[in-house]
Amino acid sequence: MSAVRLKPLFHYCNREEKPRSLHRRSTNLSFSSSSSSYANNNYDKWPKLFSNFCKFKHHPRLCSIRASAAAETALVDTDASSGRLLFSETFQVKRVQKVEGKTSVRLDKKGDGGNYQLTVGCNLPGKWVLHWGVTYCGDFGREWDQPPPEMRPPGSIAIKDYAIETPLKKSSSVLEGRILYAVQIDINANSSIAAINFVLKEEEMGSWYQHRGRDFRVPLTGQLEEDGNTIRGNKGFSIWPGAFSQISSLLLKSEGSRPTGEKHVGDAKESQLQNKHVEGFYEECSFLKEELVQSFVTVSVTNNLKEDNTFVRFDTDLPGDVVVHWGVCRDGTKTWEIPPAPHPPETKVFRNKALQTLLKSNKDRDGSWGLFALDKQILGLVFVLKLNEYTWINNMGSDFYIPLTGKSSLPNPTSKSEHKQTFGTVTEPQEEQTGSGSTAEESQAVAHVAYTDGIINEIRNLVSDISSERSTKAKFKEAQQKILQEIEKLAAEAYSIFRSSSPTFLDEEPVSEPDEVLKPPVKICSGTGSGYEVLCQGFNWESHKSGRWYSVLNDKATDLSSLGFTVIWLPPPTDSVSPEGYMPRDLYNLNSRYGSLEELKALVNRFHEAGMKVLGDVVLNHRCAQYQNQNGIWNIFGGRLNWDDRAVVADDPHFQGRGNKSSGDNFHAAPNIDHSQDFVRNDLKEWLCWLREEIGYDGWRLDFARGFWGGYVKDYIDATEPYFAVGEYWDSLSYTYGEMDHNQDGHRQRIVDWINATNGTAGAFDVTTKGILHAALERCEYWRLSDQKGKPPGVVGWWPSRAVTFIENHDTGSTQGHWRFPSGKEMQGYAYILTHPGTPAVFYDHIFSHYQHEIKELIALRHRTKVHCRSTVKITKAERDVYAANIDEKVIMKIGPGHFEPPSGPHKWALAVEGRDYKVCLCQL
Amino acid sequence: MEVSVVRCSQTSVGKVEFSPRKLGFCNSMQICPKSKRIGFDLTRRWKMPSVRVALKAIRSDISRSEAVVDEKAMRKNSPEKPDDCVRLFVGLPLDCYSQQNARAIAVGLKALKLLGVEGVELPMWWGIVEKEGPCKYDWSSYLSLAKMVQDVGLKLHVSLGFHATEDRTAALPQWVSRIGETQPDIFFTDHSGRRYKKCLSLAVDDLPVLEGRTPMQVYEQFFESFRSSFADFMGSTITDVSVGLGPGGELRYPSFPLKNKSQIPAVGEFQCYDKHMLAQLKQHAEAAGKGNWGLSGPHDAPRYDDSPDSNGFMREIDGSWETQYGDFFLSWYSNQLISHGDRLLSLASRAFGDSLVTVSARVPLMHSWYKTRSHPSELTAGFYNTATRDGYGPVAEMFAKNSCKMIIPGMDLSDEYQPKGSQSSPESLLSQIMNACKGHGVHVSGENSLASSTSSGFGKIKDGISSSEDGLASFTYQRMGAYFFSPEHWPLFAEFVRSLDRIELHLDDLPDNGARVPSSTAASEQINDRHMQAV
């Protein structure tokens, strides 16, 4: 939400004893009212702008509120003592106020071994979390890395792959008389950590606290450049509320980030840092934290028996000047009128529509009060409070209404009917609307709401406002601000929609040409193959052990083909430091633990004969060196591609590369290749083309595709024109404190972004779907299998033709088991991916297990029904214990223990495959 | 996305409704001193466009009264005088016929409207509208888009496309493609017999190959159907209609390959080898008394990826192009193209002549090898333009004859970014074409190339618009989509739009506007006017 729109909702005012504090509140007046106080809503003169705000809900919580109101009237009734109390009510007002606190950062030496302990503390109560990461020695730039596990204090949670969140705990220490919340991090002397970076997060308010607009940074070695942002500076904090991208931070920064504390305890001078490790130090910084503060406004009405007057008394503890912007009503319509003079002191007439009365401030305490004398004929008083030019308080979106006559004031059995009566008057007569310009205009300041749909009309109004003589500079600026925010919002919205939808291709529509036989209509796209592919992962983590895996597969080729697989993914073929092949060394040496070059060629040939395509597993992100450079670093390559350190990315600390910075994430165990350089790309293209020709590979499985930009992948694909290509883009799903989020749009967006960067030339493994299946099956939460739009929640829901769905691979399962599919539920997973769009991949271990028969049945059904990678899914059930979907109106499937029967209707459905907790039915025509 | 900055000629009375507003712009300089403009804070990137919008509103508001006066004055003026004001048009994705992006487009339209853009360009495909079969037109998806545009208060520039796109977002109607299966000679054909199936050959224009109708009749009925279906929009929301004259919607032969793997653009091949083209060539040669020249195309013509000097025809020195035969062939080849354009544009101007819309068509900017003497890329594309002959005069003349506006792409290209060795010069070619248009009084609209734009590209466009003193009629920016709204691109575009306005102000700074004092009574009138315009 943008600054201007928020502005009127916030209430700034200054407390005398804390001149710097900034009060904000949103208009959630906790509201207690007798049922008759249906305030006249003068904003409905601007129905377009304010309709959202006006949807105030009436809570006739009569008894309880009544009690509290009565209790607090005790302190109210002083002046009109001779009268009869007709009405009294206390409105609770919640505001946000800023409290000044201190954060301490302490680095202590622990023993002589060069170990350190970092203590970060904060002396305000709250749900504090330290959001932190480290910079390793030799790393440049500001990227964070995750600290090694032994450094993470108990209770830490990994955020993505670069940060840790550790909650602060109440400690026994005290800072400035308040309990310190603190967390300790131990730093081992042997770790190669150059610095610790962190920000503080307060979870109740959702605010982030930075150090001078950037991350806190505690250097542990002297080699870091001093860029003015390390903790040993002496400026205060800036507050950074809300989510990272919010614009409101701009506003708040300017208002709230005045450097407040200037503390520089500890005497470590920068000059002492030149060498290896630093001395301990201690430092404090001040910051402002937002807290919710309750205020009240009490209104009491007394009847003076002697004179024909009614007294209305206002009392509030709201600090600063409080102006009551008010009018009276003579009938039930709640139309604002100005009462006849005399008016209370300090009253101004506002545009012939309302009065503005400044309340008198209390001498002994915060707040102010006022007493208005009114004619007895007046039925009610309507008001809103104005704290300053931008800050108005209303009653849950409508005006406060105070009934002045005894009979309607207190809750009574007739209030219901009165409710109706007053409610009816909310819709005002037409002529009233025309006359109410000024009030309406005024109330514009109270609430700004973005209405995308009505925006054009709104602009028109703004334009006419601008041109009118009334227009002021402030108004004009406001209009500008509003428009610019609207433009920004619209552009961002358009971007997000466009980005999430794949381009429309005409040839994706089914073509029914009569002369189909002459030319196969199948368009081959390297990301999808024919669209009818079923992939087999032809190895597991142990396959290298036999030393003759290629021969093993050779014998199974016919089997695999008859199981219905159309594509097989073979293990990485090159010379490798690790036996599994994922640490490639000499790319042109294809003798590996899986077999020799000749055996590989024969195998590929064998599969081609069996009618299957073959994918080569190519590791392009990193490559192991054969030689050390003069510093003893392994970054000189051998073999035909005898690159040196110029081919290695510069930001990998361990390998001293001289190339450019990596265009993706780093794989830390081997030198990461710098794909941004032409010679590297040309060499790799040549190598890939050689693999295509020499070995006969039909396509690629791209290892660790996160490691470099998808655009380079496009380059490689374009150069090699594979039949099928799939990239491994594997990062973690989003979890909130150990529980997987339902919405994994961010996760799949990253994968889709990668596919998009390859220009759709490569597909990607649908890690999102696997993750969601995990949660759904493991916890019996099948509702997770439908996203907010009723589509599949994985990549397959957004870009099915480029999603390669799988439930297990050599990393997640096999003997590694990094992220194993819920045991015993594999067939549910296969029932899902083998019936759904996307290109399903089946893991070797599952093929040659007791599941083989069921898998075969499912693949056969997929081929029979011609379900393909762009098939349409209609999710018919996504409940706690059952998920059901209709694919292409040809297949109905369900998984989960819950009950499901195919619908009766024009189509008849016959059970085709069934197993534990899953069922697949076919349409019988 | 396409942005057209239109400097319309006031040729039709229906356009007068724009003039008050435009004149408003002009006068604004006197009313709003520059100091009133808000200081732009560069860190807040959205600020600029919005400020511009708001100011624009004021400007147009205050200056109502003399606008009315001037309107009358202008009617007396020569209608040929280009209106000095710049309108902005913005276009839509090629695949906007699919409902998939309807919401994104709706949102995008609003953003553009707020940014101060005047309208959008909407590509309409033959392959979508007449998809079901001959004369079975379905305009529904485009009608709803037009309604959407109208509701937002934008103008519409409709591009009628009779070709298929390279990216497969649009195809020929299936019934046409099917005819092509049996009669492949309705397609352009190259020397080795490869068919270009994304567009009909111009040689079949008047042959009844499409189930009894000639392509010209098909186009004519298509125009007619369009006109009646969009009658409510014509002249009000729809202000421009452009007609696709060939491959990629441009007046040219499909002479260069779709996918060009090498860095240096191809010289291309002549596309005169379908049955009908060859027949016409033969006839033409016989009429000229050179029967043996009509048997085939030039035997020494280049292959697609050849360099100009690797073949006998295009060679800079002593190339066949400079021989009598070369002149014979090239004249015929280019005249075929111009006559095709003439046929189609005269149909269009007849169909839309009384509809208060401007008819336009696109010519290509075949800029590679421009610095060689033989201009091979232009020759194969059908423009007989060499170091010794101006090939664009006749083209401009044809546009002038049909009162059509010319759209030229590649306004963002600059010589310095062209691949080395390609002898390319988009800037010189552009100015040659512009001069030809100027000479024949043809108005010109610009477009950028399809490549994604950079800030330098925007700078180039801006220079082009401001430097052409006789006025670029419009500019079309390719094209709305995810990239267009992305954080990398959108700010550049917004900045571009804002800077266009500055150009406009420079123009308005000219002294001949005189000192005019707005009357305050004008304001209220103007409010009403604004409402009417925006509705």
Side-chain angles (χ1 to χ4, degrees), chain A residues 194-483:
Chain A
I196 294 180
N197 312 301
F198 64 90
V199 295
L200 274 170
K201 183 170 137 190
E202 206 285 306
E203 297 209 302
E204 270 171 0
M205 298 296 294
S207 300
W208 299 75
Y209 298 87
Q210 288 179 299
H211 184 242
R212 294 161 68 185
R214 292 207 266 169
D215 305 338
F216 290 86
R217 191 169 174 89
V218 179
L220 299 172
T221 61
Q223 51 175 270
L224 277 175
E225 79 285 14
E226 193 57 45
D227 64 353
N229 194 42
T230 49
I231 265 299
R232 21 207 55 256
N234 53 4
K235 292 269 173 64
F237 285 61
S238 64
I239 182 169
W240 185 30
F244 283 85
S245 57
Q246 280 194 349
I247 309 185
S248 57
S249 64
L250 292 172
L251 169 75
L252 284 163
K253 251 183 202 159
S254 61
E255 305 254 0
S257 68
R258 273 168 293 190
T260 45
E262 298 228 344
K263 283 261 173 167
H264 195 170
V265 189
D267 55 356
K269 290 274 189 300
E270 265 85 329
S271 57
Q272 291 178 311
L273 301 175
Q274 301 132 338
N275 230 331
K276 190 75 177 123
H277 277 83
V278 288
E279 297 294 312
F281 67 87
Y282 175 73
E283 192 154 324
E284 290 176 9
C285 302
S286 301
F287 68 99
L288 295 172
K289 177 183 180 277
E290 294 171 345
E291 282 185 353
L292 281 176
V293 176
Q294 284 229 338
S295 295
F296 69 87
V297 182
T298 300
V299 183
S300 48
V301 181
T302 45
N303 198 343
N304 191 325
L305 296 171
K306 292 165 207 159
E307 302 166 42
D308 274 355
N309 272 352
T310 309
F311 289 99
V312 181
R313 186 187 158 104
F314 290 83
D315 211 295
T316 178
D317 66 348
L318 284 166
D321 287 346
V322 179
V323 171
V324 181
H325 179 96
W326 60 289
V328 297
C329 344
R330 291 188 190 274
D331 49 23
T333 63
K334 298 191 178 157
T335 319
W336 287 55
E337 270 181 50
I338 295 184
H343 297 144
E346 298 275 357
T347 297
K348 284 183 292 189
V349 179
F350 183 83
R351 296 191 181 174
N352 283 327
K353 284 307 284 188
L355 295 177
Q356 291 194 330
T357 305
L358 178 68
L359 295 182
K360 297 188 192 82
S361 49
N362 291 324
K363 286 197 183 81
D364 47 343
R365 57 191 166 92
D366 273 351
S368 39
W369 62 277
L371 186 70
F372 303 173
L374 293 172
D375 190 274
K376 260 198 174 153
Q377 305 306 313
I378 293 168
L379 284 178
L381 182 146
V382 279
F383 73 96
V384 294
L385 295 175
K386 179 181 166 192
L387 301 187
N388 61 39
E389 202 174 333
Y390 301 106
T391 314
W392 296 73
I393 297 180
N394 59 18
N395 188 3
M396 316 264 299
S398 61
D399 303 340
F400 295 94
Y401 176 75
I402 306 297
L404 299 181
T405 49
K407 60 180 181 210
S408 65
S409 64
L410 299 177
N412 58 48
T414 64
S415 62
K416 277 226 164 125
S417 60
E418 208 160 332
H419 171 152
K420 272 180 193 155
Q421 188 196 341
T422 41
F423 204 79
T425 61
V426 171
T427 5
E428 292 191 30
Q430 200 65 28
E431 52 269 31
E432 275 307 317
Q433 293 190 13
T434 52
S436 63
S438 61
T439 326
E441 192 180 287
E442 197 53 51
S443 49
Q444 191 184 6
V446 180
H448 279 268
V449 191
Y451 284 99
T452 301
D453 287 340
I455 186 65
I456 301 302
N457 289 329
E458 236 170 273
I459 297 307
R460 246 175 253 153
N461 289 331
L462 286 167
V463 166
S464 44
D465 270 0
I466 292 162
S467 63
S468 70
E469 286 162 63
R470 297 192 304 259
S471 70
T472 61
K473 226 177 180 174
K475 184 112 193 160
F476 184 49
K477 269 192 171 169
E478 216 169 80
Q480 288 170 357
Q481 287 248 319
K482 204 170 168 203
I483 295 169

Side-chain angles (χ1 to χ4, degrees), chain A residues 26-88:
Chain A
S26 48
T27 47
N28 57 344
L29 251 167
S30 74
F31 140 78
S32 57
S33 135
S34 72
S35 64
S36 60
S37 66
Y38 283 96
N40 171 1
N41 174 359
N42 73 345
Y43 307 138
D44 59 13
K45 292 155 193 160
W46 282 66
K48 179 167 38 57
L49 276 174
F50 301 116
S51 60
N52 264 9
F53 271 77
C54 296
K55 281 184 210 140
F56 73 97
K57 292 203 176 67
H58 182 71
H59 300 290
R61 293 176 294 169
L62 304 176
C63 300
S64 60
I65 299 305
R66 179 72 194 130
S68 81
E72 294 187 37
T73 40
L75 56 108
V76 176
D77 200 358
T78 48
D79 283 317
S81 53
S82 57
R84 179 171 65 98
L85 182 68
L86 291 177
F87 174 89
S88 174

Side-chain angles (χ1 to χ4, degrees), chain A residues 518-535:
Chain A
L518 293 171
K519 277 187 200 163
V522 182
K523 280 245 167 64
I524 305 300
C525 163
S526 51
T528 64
S530 67
Y532 295 90
E533 311 296 347
V534 179
L535 201 75

Side-chain angles (χ1 to χ4, degrees), chain B residues 387-399:
Chain B
T388 52
R389 185 183 190 274
D390 172 27
Y392 292 97
V395 178
E397 194 185 342
M398 182 268 284
F399 273 80

Side-chain angles (χ1 to χ4, degrees), chain A residues 250 453 459-460 466-467 480 484 487-488 490-491 493-495 497-498 501-502 504-507 509 721, chain B residues 44 46 50 58 61 95 98 100-101 103 107 110 114 131 167-171 261 482 485-486 527 534:
Chain A
L250 292 172
D453 287 340
I459 297 307
R460 246 175 253 153
I466 292 162
S467 63
Q480 288 170 357
L484 75 88
I487 292 176
E488 177 187 22
L490 289 165
E493 192 181 346
Y495 176 51
I497 309 172
F498 270 121
S501 64
S502 50
T504 306
F505 293 132
L506 282 178
D507 62 359
E509 293 168 11
E721 300 183 331
Chain B
R44 300 286 303 271
W46 300 119
S50 79
I58 280 200
D61 290 342
D95 62 352
S98 79
Q100 178 177 293
N101 284 330
R103 207 168 78 78
V107 173
K110 284 170 193 152
L114 293 190
K131 186 180 180 178
D167 63 358
R168 298 176 293 138
T169 48
K261 282 189 184 172
F485 285 110
S486 70
I527 295 166

